[in-house]
Amino acid sequence: MAGCPLGINIPGFIRFLREGKAAEAYQLIKKNNILPSICGRICTAPCELRCILQEESSPIGIRALERYASDYGRGKGIRNERVLKGKKIAIVGSGPSGLAAAAELAQRGYQVTVFEALDEPGGVLRYGIPEYRIPKKVLNQEIQEITALGVEFVTSAFIGQTHSLQQLSEEGFVAILLATGAGSVKFMDIPGSNLGGVYYGEEFLIRVNLAKVNLLNRASADFFIGEKVVVIGSGNTALDCARSALRFDRKATMIFRKSFDDLRVRKDEIHYAGQEGVQFEPLVKPIEILADQNNFVSGLKCVRMDYAQKSGQQGWEIIPVPDSEFIIDADTVIIAIGHSPNNLLQSHFAVGLLCNDDGTIKVDVQSGLTSVPGVFACGNVVTNAGPVVDAIASGYQTAVKIDAYITNHNNQQELSSQYVS
């Protein structure tokens, strides 16, 4: 349990499953996690690393058991009555941290409105993770349960454009929570990155999730995907891009400059990708994306890398192998080397919103408040890119801090006036 950021009673829900009580297991998980079906599918499962059987390299499959409890125990629980406090809270962003905060605040009696810039709620869970990992039906069920708590979702609402900070204040919101995630891509300084057929990981996955596929011919996507796709990166986004390309009947190769053991994804995900046909090229560094006569991708020039002892120091470093340049045949290149917080907030949302050098929003650790009075922040926009389970935990923790903040300020007019610059 100490390894779970949400503090789920893991032995307790496994015991219920062992007794054939899936509904009871599900309700026990829901006490700490409003998105069990999501975590049961994509959680990095830090709890399994803390399992005592990890010493034998065979930890209990806690994530899979949580998924089972969610899929087979849902819809049989009893909903608790809420005591309404009559105060309104606005949440900007409907990703995992925003959803978790919304549910917790609604259960504490607040009127919660979640503003989402895109046309459906879910954030990265809907637009940044492929359907084969999180089916839309499952995500919609989770959001419906949050809606049943009294949470209102307002979509196509870009705070800073469609709604200003002062407008939210005038509408009576006594606190605002920024949960906009880390959806901005990290660009790669490599020749040819502006060619046709080059995508960034987040962009590619959004296109995949929005694609209208011909049911009789899965390979006919409504956006360009070449026959030979090369993905640059070593994390979950890169692996998701490669496996998504396979589902459009393309050849997918994943390259990364470190060793195979340094892939930042779960080993079982790597195993599944290999079974599906993803080709892995470790210790390879891209140096140029090559163009054809139409300025589309025609190949990827790379160099082999290897470990060498640091000169005059202990330890190892990765350096290019002399005379090892080669070309990978490709007509689509996907760059998935990481992402960072959405920096549109600084220019569009609020004057005086202080951010760190990496784009994350500065918050007070104890209160969760930003530099703007009455405005809080949580999730990856504060911590930078991280696991979904950590974003959910951040949403819960900040919701508790918002409740304490409002409780300590009984004068609603005083709270509202803080937003007006």
Side-chain angles (χ1 to χ4, degrees):
M1 286 177 62
C4 176
L6 296 171
I8 294 171
N9 185 347
I10 296 168
F13 93 74
I14 292 178
R15 188 174 298 113
F16 276 132
L17 289 179
R18 190 176 64 201
E19 296 170 356
K21 300 176 180 178
E24 288 82 353
Y26 175 71
Q27 288 303 313
L28 187 59
I29 296 170
K30 286 278 284 189
K31 288 182 178 180
N32 297 79
N33 183 8
I34 197 64
L35 301 170
S37 293
I38 303 300
C39 285
R41 285 169 165 81
I42 65 169
C43 182
T44 52
C47 54
E48 294 182 12
L49 296 177
R50 299 289 292 272
C51 176
I52 193 170
L53 296 181
Q54 179 69 28
E55 298 175 5
E56 302 174 12
S57 299
S58 57
I60 291 173
I62 300 169
R63 186 178 81 167
L65 292 174
E66 182 177 14
R67 173 175 174 173
Y68 176 88
S70 303
D71 289 349
Y72 292 94
R74 179 188 300 274
K76 302 173 184 177
I78 300 174
R79 196 173 305 281
N80 295 325
E81 294 294 328
R82 297 180 298 139
V83 178
L84 296 178
K85 299 179 180 179
K87 294 181 179 178
K88 297 168 61 178
I89 297 175
I91 297 178
V92 183
S94 64
S97 61
L99 293 175
E104 181 65 22
L105 288 167
Q107 289 172 331
R108 290 172 178 259
Y110 295 99
Q111 297 179 43
V112 181
T113 302
V114 179
F115 295 90
E116 168 58 49
L118 297 176
D119 59 346
E120 290 189 76
V124 68
L125 302 176
R126 183 177 300 279
Y127 296 101
I129 297 176
E131 174 92 13
Y132 71 87
R133 293 189 69 193
I134 301 181
K136 297 299 182 288
K137 177 181 177 181
V138 170
L139 176 59
N140 290 337
Q141 286 177 331
E142 298 282 41
I143 292 175
Q144 286 168 6
E145 292 202 0
I146 296 174
T147 303
L149 295 173
V151 175
E152 179 186 2
F153 290 92
V154 179
T155 56
S156 301
F158 183 5
I159 301 302
Q161 292 287 328
T162 60
H163 298 73
S164 70
L165 191 63
Q166 186 168 347
Q167 284 176 321
L168 294 180
S169 170
E170 291 171 352
E171 291 175 13
F173 290 102
V174 298
I176 298 172
L177 173 61
L178 306 180
T180 51
S184 296
V185 302
K186 288 186 178 178
F187 294 100
M188 191 174 194
D189 185 15
I190 179 175
S193 59
N194 61 339
L195 294 173
V198 176
Y199 299 98
Y200 280 86
E202 288 73 16
E203 172 200 2
F204 181 78
L205 291 176
I206 288 175
R207 289 178 180 272
V208 168
N209 279 308
L210 294 177
K212 294 179 175 59
V213 181
N214 185 330
L215 294 177
L216 299 178
N217 183 7
R218 179 73 184 176
S220 62
D222 59 357
F223 67 100
F224 173 77
I225 309 177
E227 295 299 320
K228 299 174 182 177
V229 179
V230 176
V231 182
I232 303 171
S234 60
N236 282 305
T237 299
L239 194 63
D240 284 347
C241 290
R243 295 177 71 184
S244 295
L246 286 178
R247 283 160 172 76
F248 287 100
D249 198 23
R250 269 55 170 183
K251 179 182 177 182
T253 303
M254 189 170 159
I255 69 170
F256 39 97
R257 62 185 298 272
K258 294 186 178 181
S259 71
F260 200 90
D261 292 335
D262 291 323
L263 279 173
R264 293 168 294 142
V265 293
R266 283 170 57 100
K267 290 182 178 180
D268 55 350
E269 301 285 353
I270 300 171
H271 176 68
Y272 299 149
Q275 284 185 320
E276 291 173 355
V278 174
Q279 301 297 312
F280 295 96
E281 286 281 355
L283 294 170
V284 169
K285 179 182 178 180
I287 55 178
E288 183 181 359
I289 303 173
L290 305 177
D292 63 13
Q293 65 273 20
N294 297 316
N295 285 322
F296 271 72
V297 175
S298 67
L300 183 65
K301 183 185 289 187
C302 303
V303 62
R304 300 284 181 187
M305 309 292 287
D306 203 355
Y307 286 89
Q309 190 168 9
K310 293 181 179 179
S311 57
Q313 303 179 37
Q314 292 184 343
W316 299 84
E317 61 181 343
I318 300 177
I319 62 172
V321 176
D323 303 320
S324 65
E325 291 186 3
F326 68 103
I327 294 175
I328 298 178
D329 192 15
D331 45 19
T332 296
V333 172
I334 302 171
I335 302 171
I337 57 173
H339 36 92
S340 57
N342 190 335
N343 56 14
L344 292 174
L345 285 168
Q346 298 179 48
S347 55
H348 291 294
F349 180 67
V351 177
L353 184 65
L354 298 181
C355 296
N356 299 303
D357 292 339
D358 62 356
T360 55
I361 297 175
K362 287 186 176 182
V363 298
D364 179 78
V365 177
Q366 298 299 321
S367 67
L369 280 163
T370 68
S371 55
V372 180
V375 178
F376 299 77
C378 69
N380 285 350
V381 76
V382 173
T383 61
N384 214 327
V388 166
V389 67
D390 288 342
I392 295 173
S394 176
Y396 277 123
Q397 293 159 7
T398 308
V400 173
K401 294 173 183 177
I402 292 173
D403 182 38
Y405 173 82
I406 293 175
T407 301
N408 293 332
H409 293 74
N410 293 322
N411 188 335
Q412 184 173 341
Q413 184 62 38
E414 176 188 347
L415 281 174
S416 297
S417 65
Q418 290 181 338
Y419 301 134
V420 181
S421 58

